[in-house]
Amino acid sequence: MIAVPDLSAVKQALAAQRIETPSWAFGNSGTRFKVFAQPGVPRTPEEKIADAATVHRFTGAAPSVALHIPWDRVDDYAALARYAGDLGVSVGAINTNVFQDDDYKLGSVTNPDPGIRRKATDHLLEAVAVMDATGSRDLKLWFSDGINYPGQDDLRDRQDRLATALREAYDRLGDDQRILLEYKLFEPAFYATDVPDWGTSFAHCVELGPKATVCIDTGHHAPGTNIEFIVAFLLRQDRLGAFDFNSRFYADDDLMAGAADPFQLFRIMYEIVRADALDPARGINFMLDQCHNIEAKIPAVIRSVMNVQEATAKALLVDRAALAAAQRCGDVLEANAVFMDAYNTDVRPLLAEVRADQGLDPDPVAAYKRSGYQEKITADRAGGEQAGWGA
Ligand code: RM4
Ligand code: MN
Protein backbone atom coordinates (compact mmCIF):
# COMPACT_ATOMS: atom_id res chain seq x y z
CA MET A 1 0.00 0.00 0.00
CA ILE A 2 1.38 3.41 -0.84
CA ALA A 3 1.61 6.19 1.68
CA VAL A 4 -0.88 8.73 0.48
CA PRO A 5 0.43 12.30 0.83
CA ASP A 6 -2.52 14.20 2.31
CA LEU A 7 -5.83 13.03 0.99
CA SER A 8 -7.73 16.20 1.72
CA ALA A 9 -5.11 18.29 -0.11
CA VAL A 10 -5.30 15.88 -3.05
CA LYS A 11 -9.07 16.19 -3.16
CA GLN A 12 -8.85 19.95 -2.93
CA ALA A 13 -6.41 20.10 -5.83
CA LEU A 14 -8.65 17.87 -7.92
CA ALA A 15 -11.72 19.94 -7.14
CA ALA A 16 -9.87 23.09 -8.22
CA GLN A 17 -8.53 21.63 -11.49
CA ARG A 18 -9.73 23.36 -14.68
CA ILE A 19 -9.77 21.92 -18.18
CA GLU A 20 -10.72 23.98 -21.24
CA THR A 21 -12.81 22.45 -24.00
CA PRO A 22 -12.52 23.30 -27.71
CA SER A 23 -15.59 24.54 -29.59
CA TRP A 24 -14.54 22.54 -32.66
CA ALA A 25 -14.72 19.23 -30.80
CA PHE A 26 -18.51 19.56 -30.86
CA GLY A 27 -18.74 20.10 -34.61
CA ASN A 28 -18.47 17.49 -37.31
CA SER A 29 -14.98 16.34 -38.15
CA GLY A 30 -13.33 13.50 -39.97
CA THR A 31 -10.37 12.61 -42.08
CA ARG A 32 -9.54 13.62 -45.62
CA PHE A 33 -11.46 10.50 -46.64
CA LYS A 34 -14.82 11.23 -45.03
CA VAL A 35 -16.61 13.39 -42.51
CA PHE A 36 -19.42 11.43 -40.88
CA ALA A 37 -22.19 13.80 -39.79
CA GLN A 38 -23.79 13.15 -36.41
CA PRO A 39 -27.31 14.00 -35.25
CA GLY A 40 -27.62 17.00 -32.93
CA VAL A 41 -24.31 18.58 -33.89
CA PRO A 42 -24.22 22.37 -33.33
CA ARG A 43 -25.00 24.72 -36.19
CA THR A 44 -23.74 27.92 -34.59
CA PRO A 45 -21.07 29.10 -32.18
CA GLU A 46 -23.83 29.53 -29.59
CA GLU A 47 -24.81 25.88 -29.89
CA LYS A 48 -21.17 24.81 -29.53
CA ILE A 49 -20.94 26.90 -26.36
CA ALA A 50 -24.14 25.29 -25.06
CA ASP A 51 -22.54 21.86 -25.54
CA ALA A 52 -19.37 22.99 -23.80
CA ALA A 53 -21.50 24.30 -20.91
CA THR A 54 -23.13 20.88 -20.75
CA VAL A 55 -19.73 19.25 -20.34
CA HIS A 56 -19.08 21.67 -17.49
CA ARG A 57 -22.47 20.96 -15.92
CA PHE A 58 -21.65 17.26 -15.60
CA THR A 59 -17.94 17.47 -14.79
CA GLY A 60 -17.73 20.72 -12.82
CA ALA A 61 -14.21 21.00 -14.24
CA ALA A 62 -14.55 22.59 -17.67
CA PRO A 63 -15.64 26.21 -17.16
CA SER A 64 -14.11 27.70 -20.30
CA VAL A 65 -14.38 27.05 -24.00
CA ALA A 66 -11.78 27.86 -26.65
CA LEU A 67 -12.99 29.46 -29.87
CA HIS A 68 -11.58 29.14 -33.37
CA ILE A 69 -11.79 32.13 -35.69
CA PRO A 70 -13.30 32.20 -38.33
CA TRP A 71 -15.15 28.96 -37.48
CA ASP A 72 -16.77 30.77 -34.55
CA ARG A 73 -17.09 34.17 -36.17
CA VAL A 74 -20.08 36.25 -34.97
CA ASP A 75 -21.07 39.89 -35.34
CA ASP A 76 -21.11 40.65 -31.66
CA TYR A 77 -18.39 38.92 -29.61
CA ALA A 78 -19.29 40.68 -26.39
CA ALA A 79 -22.80 39.27 -26.73
CA LEU A 80 -21.35 35.81 -27.37
CA ALA A 81 -19.28 36.09 -24.19
CA ARG A 82 -22.39 37.17 -22.26
CA TYR A 83 -24.28 34.21 -23.68
CA ALA A 84 -21.49 31.91 -22.50
CA GLY A 85 -21.51 33.56 -19.08
CA ASP A 86 -25.26 33.00 -18.76
CA LEU A 87 -24.64 29.30 -19.34
CA GLY A 88 -21.90 29.23 -16.70
CA VAL A 89 -18.81 29.17 -18.91
CA SER A 90 -16.33 31.74 -20.12
CA VAL A 91 -14.51 32.25 -23.40
CA GLY A 92 -11.06 30.71 -23.32
CA ALA A 93 -8.24 30.81 -25.83
CA ILE A 94 -8.89 32.42 -29.19
CA ASN A 95 -7.41 30.17 -31.86
CA THR A 96 -6.36 31.75 -35.12
CA ASN A 97 -6.88 30.04 -38.43
CA VAL A 98 -4.42 30.91 -41.16
CA PHE A 99 -4.49 27.53 -42.84
CA GLN A 100 -7.67 27.29 -44.86
CA ASP A 101 -7.60 30.09 -47.42
CA ASP A 102 -6.32 29.48 -50.95
CA ASP A 103 -3.89 32.33 -50.36
CA TYR A 104 -2.05 30.28 -47.78
CA LYS A 105 -0.87 27.56 -50.13
CA LEU A 106 2.74 28.68 -49.70
CA GLY A 107 2.35 29.81 -46.11
CA SER A 108 0.62 32.50 -44.08
CA VAL A 109 2.91 34.68 -41.98
CA THR A 110 5.95 33.14 -43.67
CA ASN A 111 4.60 33.37 -47.22
CA PRO A 112 7.06 34.87 -49.71
CA ASP A 113 4.32 37.32 -50.79
CA PRO A 114 4.22 40.35 -48.44
CA GLY A 115 0.53 40.95 -49.25
CA ILE A 116 -0.39 37.51 -48.01
CA ARG A 117 1.78 37.95 -44.93
CA ARG A 118 -0.09 41.20 -44.24
CA LYS A 119 -3.45 39.43 -44.54
CA ALA A 120 -2.34 36.65 -42.17
CA THR A 121 -0.92 39.10 -39.63
CA ASP A 122 -4.13 41.12 -39.79
CA HIS A 123 -6.00 37.97 -38.86
CA LEU A 124 -3.83 37.62 -35.75
CA LEU A 125 -4.69 41.21 -34.84
CA GLU A 126 -8.37 40.50 -35.45
CA ALA A 127 -8.09 37.63 -32.97
CA VAL A 128 -6.72 40.01 -30.33
CA ALA A 129 -9.74 42.25 -30.94
CA VAL A 130 -11.94 39.20 -30.30
CA MET A 131 -10.02 38.67 -27.05
CA ASP A 132 -10.69 42.29 -26.06
CA ALA A 133 -14.41 41.83 -26.68
CA THR A 134 -14.74 38.45 -24.96
CA GLY A 135 -12.36 38.91 -22.06
CA SER A 136 -10.17 36.08 -23.31
CA ARG A 137 -6.58 35.99 -22.05
CA ASP A 138 -4.96 33.68 -24.58
CA LEU A 139 -4.06 34.17 -28.23
CA LYS A 140 -3.34 30.70 -29.51
CA LEU A 141 -1.21 30.57 -32.60
CA TRP A 142 -0.68 27.52 -34.72
CA PHE A 143 0.87 27.94 -38.14
CA SER A 144 0.61 25.26 -40.78
CA ASP A 145 3.39 27.13 -42.58
CA GLY A 146 6.20 25.15 -44.07
CA ILE A 147 7.55 23.79 -47.31
CA ASN A 148 7.33 20.44 -49.06
CA TYR A 149 10.54 20.38 -51.05
CA PRO A 150 14.16 21.25 -50.35
CA GLY A 151 14.93 24.58 -51.97
CA GLN A 152 11.27 25.56 -52.26
CA ASP A 153 11.84 28.64 -50.09
CA ASP A 154 14.55 30.02 -47.85
CA LEU A 155 14.37 28.45 -44.40
CA ARG A 156 16.03 31.38 -42.66
CA ASP A 157 14.01 34.09 -44.38
CA ARG A 158 10.88 32.29 -43.29
CA GLN A 159 12.04 32.49 -39.66
CA ASP A 160 12.54 36.25 -40.10
CA ARG A 161 9.05 36.65 -41.54
CA LEU A 162 7.60 34.61 -38.70
CA ALA A 163 9.41 36.75 -36.11
CA THR A 164 8.08 39.94 -37.73
CA ALA A 165 4.46 38.76 -37.62
CA LEU A 166 4.79 37.48 -34.06
CA ARG A 167 6.26 40.81 -32.97
CA GLU A 168 3.30 42.70 -34.39
CA ALA A 169 0.80 40.42 -32.66
CA TYR A 170 2.76 40.55 -29.41
CA ASP A 171 2.90 44.34 -29.40
CA ARG A 172 -0.87 44.46 -29.86
CA LEU A 173 -1.52 42.41 -26.68
CA GLY A 174 -3.05 44.03 -23.62
CA ASP A 175 -1.43 43.76 -20.21
CA ASP A 176 -3.35 40.64 -19.23
CA GLN A 177 -3.15 38.95 -22.59
CA ARG A 178 -0.54 36.55 -23.86
CA ILE A 179 0.52 34.47 -26.81
CA LEU A 180 0.47 30.67 -26.75
CA LEU A 181 2.73 29.54 -29.58
CA GLU A 182 2.04 26.00 -30.69
CA TYR A 183 4.39 23.78 -32.68
CA LYS A 184 3.91 20.73 -34.85
CA LEU A 185 6.48 18.47 -36.42
CA PHE A 186 4.81 17.99 -39.79
CA GLU A 187 1.50 18.08 -41.65
CA PRO A 188 0.39 19.79 -43.74
CA ALA A 189 4.01 20.64 -44.61
CA PHE A 190 6.06 17.52 -45.23
CA TYR A 191 9.65 18.67 -45.55
CA ALA A 192 10.17 21.63 -43.20
CA THR A 193 7.60 23.19 -40.90
CA ASP A 194 8.37 26.74 -39.73
CA VAL A 195 7.49 26.03 -36.08
CA PRO A 196 8.24 22.31 -35.92
CA ASP A 197 9.22 21.82 -32.29
CA TRP A 198 9.22 23.23 -28.77
CA GLY A 199 12.73 24.63 -29.16
CA THR A 200 11.69 26.83 -32.07
CA SER A 201 8.59 27.96 -30.23
CA PHE A 202 10.59 28.60 -27.07
CA ALA A 203 13.23 30.64 -28.89
CA HIS A 204 10.60 32.85 -30.52
CA CYS A 205 8.85 33.28 -27.17
CA VAL A 206 12.07 34.35 -25.46
CA GLU A 207 12.73 36.82 -28.26
CA LEU A 208 9.20 38.23 -27.93
CA GLY A 209 9.07 38.72 -24.17
CA PRO A 210 7.40 37.40 -21.02
CA LYS A 211 3.87 37.38 -22.44
CA ALA A 212 4.77 34.68 -24.96
CA THR A 213 4.65 31.05 -23.88
CA VAL A 214 4.75 27.64 -25.49
CA CYS A 215 1.69 25.48 -26.10
CA ILE A 216 2.33 21.74 -26.12
CA ASP A 217 -0.07 19.78 -28.29
CA THR A 218 0.53 16.20 -27.21
CA GLY A 219 -0.10 14.92 -30.75
CA HIS A 220 2.52 17.08 -32.45
CA HIS A 221 5.76 15.19 -31.87
CA ALA A 222 7.79 12.48 -33.48
CA PRO A 223 6.88 9.04 -32.15
CA GLY A 224 8.78 8.24 -28.97
CA THR A 225 9.37 11.87 -27.99
CA ASN A 226 9.65 12.30 -24.22
CA ILE A 227 6.95 14.94 -23.76
CA GLU A 228 7.26 15.11 -19.98
CA PHE A 229 10.86 16.21 -20.39
CA ILE A 230 9.65 19.13 -22.50
CA VAL A 231 7.08 19.91 -19.81
CA ALA A 232 9.72 19.87 -17.06
CA PHE A 233 12.09 22.02 -19.09
CA LEU A 234 9.52 24.65 -20.03
CA LEU A 235 8.17 24.83 -16.48
CA ARG A 236 11.67 25.46 -15.21
CA GLN A 237 12.00 28.29 -17.73
CA ASP A 238 8.53 29.61 -16.87
CA ARG A 239 7.49 29.35 -20.51
CA LEU A 240 4.85 26.68 -20.47
CA GLY A 241 1.56 28.42 -21.26
CA ALA A 242 -0.79 25.66 -22.26
CA PHE A 243 -1.50 22.14 -23.37
CA ASP A 244 -3.57 20.93 -26.25
CA PHE A 245 -4.36 17.49 -24.89
CA ASN A 246 -5.34 14.66 -27.19
CA SER A 247 -3.88 11.27 -27.88
CA ARG A 248 -2.38 9.50 -30.81
CA PHE A 249 -1.20 6.14 -31.97
CA TYR A 250 0.60 7.27 -35.13
CA ALA A 251 0.63 10.98 -35.98
CA ASP A 252 -1.74 13.81 -35.07
CA ASP A 253 -4.66 11.47 -34.45
CA ASP A 254 -6.60 13.90 -32.19
CA LEU A 255 -8.17 11.04 -30.22
CA MET A 256 -9.47 11.45 -26.68
CA ALA A 257 -6.80 12.52 -24.17
CA GLY A 258 -5.57 9.56 -22.18
CA ALA A 259 -7.08 7.01 -24.56
CA ALA A 260 -3.95 5.89 -26.39
CA ASP A 261 -1.35 6.29 -23.67
CA PRO A 262 -2.70 7.02 -20.18
CA PHE A 263 0.75 6.38 -18.71
CA GLN A 264 2.22 9.24 -20.76
CA LEU A 265 -0.55 11.55 -19.56
CA PHE A 266 0.27 10.55 -15.97
CA ARG A 267 3.97 11.28 -16.52
CA ILE A 268 3.10 14.70 -17.94
CA MET A 269 0.78 15.50 -15.04
CA TYR A 270 3.42 14.38 -12.57
CA GLU A 271 5.77 17.09 -13.89
CA ILE A 272 2.95 19.59 -13.45
CA VAL A 273 2.36 18.49 -9.88
CA ARG A 274 6.11 18.41 -9.23
CA ALA A 275 6.35 22.07 -10.31
CA ASP A 276 3.24 22.98 -8.33
CA ALA A 277 1.67 24.22 -11.55
CA LEU A 278 -1.77 22.64 -11.34
CA ASP A 279 -3.37 25.57 -9.59
CA PRO A 280 -5.24 27.73 -12.17
CA ALA A 281 -3.54 30.74 -10.58
CA ARG A 282 -0.25 29.50 -12.05
CA GLY A 283 -1.66 30.35 -15.46
CA ILE A 284 -1.26 27.11 -17.37
CA ASN A 285 -4.21 26.51 -19.64
CA PHE A 286 -5.03 22.79 -19.77
CA MET A 287 -6.96 22.59 -23.00
CA LEU A 288 -8.29 19.73 -25.05
CA ASP A 289 -7.75 19.80 -28.82
CA GLN A 290 -9.58 16.82 -30.19
CA CYS A 291 -11.85 15.64 -32.97
CA HIS A 292 -14.50 13.03 -32.33
CA ASN A 293 -14.93 11.58 -35.77
CA ILE A 294 -16.84 8.40 -34.97
CA GLU A 295 -17.84 8.62 -31.30
CA ALA A 296 -20.58 10.77 -29.80
CA LYS A 297 -19.03 14.15 -29.18
CA ILE A 298 -20.30 15.45 -25.83
CA PRO A 299 -19.74 12.22 -23.88
CA ALA A 300 -16.33 11.94 -25.57
CA VAL A 301 -15.37 15.37 -24.26
CA ILE A 302 -16.68 14.43 -20.82
CA ARG A 303 -14.64 11.21 -20.95
CA SER A 304 -11.54 13.20 -21.96
CA VAL A 305 -11.95 15.59 -19.03
CA MET A 306 -12.27 12.55 -16.74
CA ASN A 307 -9.14 10.97 -18.24
CA VAL A 308 -7.13 14.12 -17.50
CA GLN A 309 -8.56 14.14 -13.98
CA GLU A 310 -7.57 10.50 -13.47
CA ALA A 311 -4.01 11.09 -14.65
CA THR A 312 -3.84 14.11 -12.36
CA ALA A 313 -5.18 12.21 -9.36
CA LYS A 314 -2.52 9.54 -9.85
CA ALA A 315 0.17 12.20 -10.18
CA LEU A 316 -1.01 13.79 -6.92
CA LEU A 317 -0.81 10.41 -5.20
CA VAL A 318 2.90 9.94 -5.88
CA ASP A 319 4.57 9.62 -2.49
CA ARG A 320 7.01 12.46 -3.12
CA ALA A 321 8.91 11.97 0.15
CA ALA A 322 9.49 8.28 -0.53
CA LEU A 323 10.41 9.08 -4.14
CA ALA A 324 12.91 11.74 -3.11
CA ALA A 325 14.46 9.40 -0.53
CA ALA A 326 14.85 6.62 -3.09
CA GLN A 327 16.28 9.05 -5.64
CA ARG A 328 18.76 10.47 -3.15
CA CYS A 329 20.22 7.11 -2.31
CA GLY A 330 20.20 5.97 -5.91
CA ASP A 331 17.69 3.18 -5.35
CA VAL A 332 16.57 2.86 -8.94
CA LEU A 333 14.07 0.08 -8.41
CA GLU A 334 12.47 1.64 -5.35
CA ALA A 335 12.12 5.04 -7.04
CA ASN A 336 10.46 3.46 -10.02
CA ALA A 337 8.23 1.35 -7.75
CA VAL A 338 7.03 4.44 -5.86
CA PHE A 339 6.18 6.08 -9.17
CA MET A 340 4.39 3.02 -10.52
CA ASP A 341 2.45 2.46 -7.29
CA ALA A 342 0.78 5.81 -7.80
CA TYR A 343 0.10 5.10 -11.46
CA ASN A 344 -1.41 1.73 -10.66
CA THR A 345 -3.82 3.13 -8.07
CA ASP A 346 -7.49 3.01 -9.02
CA VAL A 347 -8.42 6.66 -8.51
CA ARG A 348 -11.98 6.39 -9.76
CA PRO A 349 -13.50 6.09 -6.26
CA LEU A 350 -11.51 9.15 -5.14
CA LEU A 351 -12.76 11.21 -8.08
CA ALA A 352 -16.29 10.00 -7.49
CA GLU A 353 -15.98 11.38 -3.96
CA VAL A 354 -14.61 14.68 -5.23
CA ARG A 355 -17.61 14.99 -7.55
CA ALA A 356 -20.12 14.00 -4.89
CA ASP A 357 -18.63 16.64 -2.57
CA GLN A 358 -19.38 19.21 -5.26
CA GLY A 359 -22.95 17.99 -5.65
CA LEU A 360 -22.18 16.35 -8.99
CA ASP A 361 -23.09 12.89 -10.15
CA PRO A 362 -20.08 10.61 -9.50
CA ASP A 363 -20.45 9.18 -13.03
CA PRO A 364 -20.66 12.16 -15.43
CA VAL A 365 -21.03 10.09 -18.61
CA ALA A 366 -23.93 8.07 -17.21
CA ALA A 367 -25.53 11.24 -15.85
CA TYR A 368 -25.22 12.89 -19.27
CA LYS A 369 -26.82 9.91 -20.97
CA ARG A 370 -29.74 9.98 -18.53
CA SER A 371 -30.20 13.73 -18.83
CA GLY A 372 -32.04 13.73 -22.16
CA TYR A 373 -29.73 16.48 -23.53
CA GLN A 374 -28.65 14.38 -26.51
CA GLU A 375 -32.27 13.65 -27.46
CA LYS A 376 -33.15 17.31 -27.05
CA ILE A 377 -30.39 18.63 -29.31
CA THR A 378 -31.09 15.93 -31.86
CA ALA A 379 -34.68 17.17 -32.09
CA ASP A 380 -33.96 20.91 -31.76
CA ARG A 381 -31.11 21.01 -34.22
CA ALA A 382 -32.70 19.10 -37.06
CA GLY A 383 -32.37 21.24 -40.19
CA GLY A 384 -29.78 23.89 -40.85
CA GLU A 385 -26.17 23.41 -41.69
CA GLN A 386 -24.06 21.67 -39.08
CA ALA A 387 -20.80 23.18 -37.91
CA GLY A 388 -17.63 21.47 -38.83
CA TRP A 389 -14.14 22.02 -40.07
CA GLY A 390 -14.29 24.83 -42.56
CA ALA A 391 -17.80 25.90 -41.59
C1 RM4 B 1 -3.95 21.96 -35.60
C2 RM4 B 1 -3.51 22.48 -34.24
C3 RM4 B 1 -4.38 23.56 -33.70
C4 RM4 B 1 -5.83 23.30 -33.94
C5 RM4 B 1 -6.10 22.91 -35.36
C6 RM4 B 1 -7.56 22.61 -35.57
O1 RM4 B 1 -3.34 20.73 -35.88
O2 RM4 B 1 -3.47 21.40 -33.34
O3 RM4 B 1 -4.18 23.70 -32.32
O4 RM4 B 1 -6.48 24.50 -33.69
O5 RM4 B 1 -5.33 21.78 -35.69
MN1 MN C 1 -3.48 21.89 -31.23
Side-chain angles (χ1 to χ4, degrees), residues 24 95 140 142 182-183 215 217 220 244 246 252 254 289:
W24 55 100
N95 288 251
K140 171 115 147 314
W142 173 68
E182 186 175 353
Y183 58 91
C215 171
D217 185 311
H220 287 189
D244 266 2
N246 51 55
D252 188 21
D254 279 340
D289 178 11

